[in-house]
């Protein structure tokens, strides 16, 4: 089956056994982070030895192999992507795929701590939209949630991103007893600054040193509460991600809901995730993994790697099976979100 990529090149698209075309690659460029968010990491994390990480050149080769097979959207994430040394060099080299038209979008998900430093450079490379994670506007709560983060720095980063012309979307994890009473204020704040806001349910990934039931707040409940304060209008807007979007009539802004637990979004899944060591996860919520590093390192050419990618996609699972309830408080998967990227 042939299709045309942006630049008019014929590509052999990657299609999984459930007829889903894979057009979106998320790459965790580092498992390290300058924060320790309570739902994402334990306070004492053991990170990979730096020697195990793929080099920037290897990451570029891997991403380019996926783009060659029809990936149109590439998101760098982590850990915190902007703490990886030389990250702007990687963005700079990947930006060639934007200029050629092969890639529709190159973007990142960041905690915002380094944005004041990098926002202008990112915009100059052709990056248009970014996601910034922010769970609360209360400095003390922010410190409690991120353990090591400072709200002021993140807000300055968001200012810098907007000043550089980047479209910013805020991602907020809904956390029971922590930000649940603040979510409507976050909606007003984000929309007031021209930013979309997407709410995310806590997913049971990795041992973070506490019961998940303590953190889990179903978005069905959040949505019902927000509907008491706002008029929420269903819109068909999609970004190629798993979020469902509503328009908030009072603010005119967009509100997204990512509900892996209360609403399964797998039927339309178009994405796969690559770790900083070259492991490909074809489902965020399953163990199915393929080592692409061996194929990458076994040959300078693209043949072996291309076949390894194809084989992995041919084994992409149908969907995840997350559950959090009183009987299921252990992580569904041992790996943390920072390994596969959010
Ligand atoms: N450090 C960057 C950041 O925080 O934006 C990128 C990586 S982070 C793993 C990506 C997203 O995953 C963030 O929005 C974060 O809030 C979310 N996240 C992390 N652990 C999660 C979990 N267990 N359940 C739901 N979302 C999670
Ligand atoms: Fe770091 Fe992002 Fe995980 Fe927070 S959510 S610990 S910022 S990787």
């Amino acid at each position: 089956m042939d299709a045309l990529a942006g630049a008019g090149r014929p590509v052999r698209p990657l299609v999984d056994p459930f007829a889903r075309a894979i057009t979106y690659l998320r790459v965790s460029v580092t498992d390290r982070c300058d924060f320790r968010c309570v739902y994402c990491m334990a306070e004492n994390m053991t990170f990979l030895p730096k020697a195990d990480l793929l080099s920037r050149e290897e990451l570029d080769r891997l991403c380019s192999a996926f783009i060659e097979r029809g990936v149109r959207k590439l998101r760098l994430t982590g850990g915190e992507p902007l703490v990886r040394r030389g990250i702007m060099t990687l963005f700079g080299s990947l930006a060639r795929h934007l200029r050629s038209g092969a890639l529709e979008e190159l973007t990142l998900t960041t905690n915002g701590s380094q944005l004041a430093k990098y926002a202008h450079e990112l915009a100059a490379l052709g990056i248009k939209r970014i996601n910034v994670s922010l769970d609360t506007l209360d400095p003390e709560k922010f410190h409690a949630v991120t353990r090591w983060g400072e709200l002021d720095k993140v807000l300055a980063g968001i200012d810098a991103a907007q000043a550089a012309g980047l479209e910013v979307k805020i991602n907020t994890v809904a956390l029971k007893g922590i930000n649940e009473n603040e979510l409507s204020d976050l909606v007003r704040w984000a929309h007031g600054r021209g930013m979309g806001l997407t709410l995310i349910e806590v997913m049971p990934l990795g041992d973070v040193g506490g019961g998940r039931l303590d953190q889990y707040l179903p978005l069905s409940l959040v949505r019902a509460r927000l509907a008491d304060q706002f008029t929420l209008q269903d819109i068909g807007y999609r970004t190629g991600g798993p979020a469902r979007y509503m328009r908030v009539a009072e603010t005119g802004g967009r509100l997204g809901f990512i509900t892996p637990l209360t609403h399964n979004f797998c039927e339309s899944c178009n994405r796969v995730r690559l770790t900083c060591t070259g492991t490909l996860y074809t489902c965020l919520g399953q163990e199915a993994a393929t080592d692409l590093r061996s194929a990458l390192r076994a040959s300078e050419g693209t043949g072996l790697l291309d076949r390894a990618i194809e084989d992995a996609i041919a084994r992409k699972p149908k969907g995840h099976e997350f559950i959090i309830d009183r009987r299921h408080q252990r992580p569904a998967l041992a790996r943390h979100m920072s390994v596969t990227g959010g």
Side-chain angles (χ1 to χ4, degrees), residues 133-250:
S133 305
L134 178 65
D135 302 324
T136 172
L137 290 169
D138 176 319
E140 276 169 29
K141 274 191 192 171
F142 185 85
H143 190 69
V145 171
T146 61
R147 293 194 183 104
W148 296 3
E150 284 170 48
L151 179 64
D152 282 356
K153 271 199 189 157
V154 173
L155 295 179
I158 293 172
D159 288 344
Q162 290 196 301
L166 294 169
E167 187 186 321
V168 178
K169 186 179 65 110
I170 301 294
N171 280 344
T172 301
V173 178
L175 296 163
K176 188 157 119 187
I178 299 179
N179 61 6
E180 64 176 300
N181 293 327
E182 209 195 320
L183 296 173
S184 52
D185 290 340
L186 274 160
V187 170
R188 284 189 200 92
W189 170 78
H191 290 180
R193 295 187 51 141
M195 306 184 290
L197 179 89
T198 293
L199 299 172
I200 306 174
E201 270 171 356
V202 173
M203 293 174 234
L205 297 177
D207 199 338
V208 292
R212 287 283 173 187
L213 203 59
D214 295 343
Q215 301 175 343
Y216 175 53
L217 178 63
L219 285 189
S220 48
L221 181 64
V222 171
R223 187 165 155 166
R225 287 181 189 162
L226 289 174
D228 285 341
Q229 298 190 46
F230 299 114
T231 316
L232 303 179
Q233 303 160 332
D234 244 315
I235 49 173
Y237 176 78
R238 300 303 300 266
T239 57
R244 307 262 174 248
Y245 290 92
M246 319 284 287
R247 170 92 45 213
V248 178
E250 289 76 4

Side-chain angles (χ1 to χ4, degrees), residues 24-37:
Y24 183 2
L25 175 67
R26 303 172 70 115
V27 184
S28 176
V29 294
T30 174
D31 62 333
R32 290 168 193 254
C33 187
D34 51 346
F35 291 5
R36 290 289 181 280
C37 300

Side-chain angles (χ1 to χ4, degrees), residues 39-40 77-81 109-111 133 171 173 200-203 212 337-338 342:
Y39 49 80
C40 180
T77 174
E80 174 48 39
T109 300
T110 173
N111 66 22
S133 305
N171 280 344
V173 178
I200 306 174
E201 270 171 356
V202 173
M203 293 174 234
R212 287 283 173 187
M337 188 73 123
S338 49

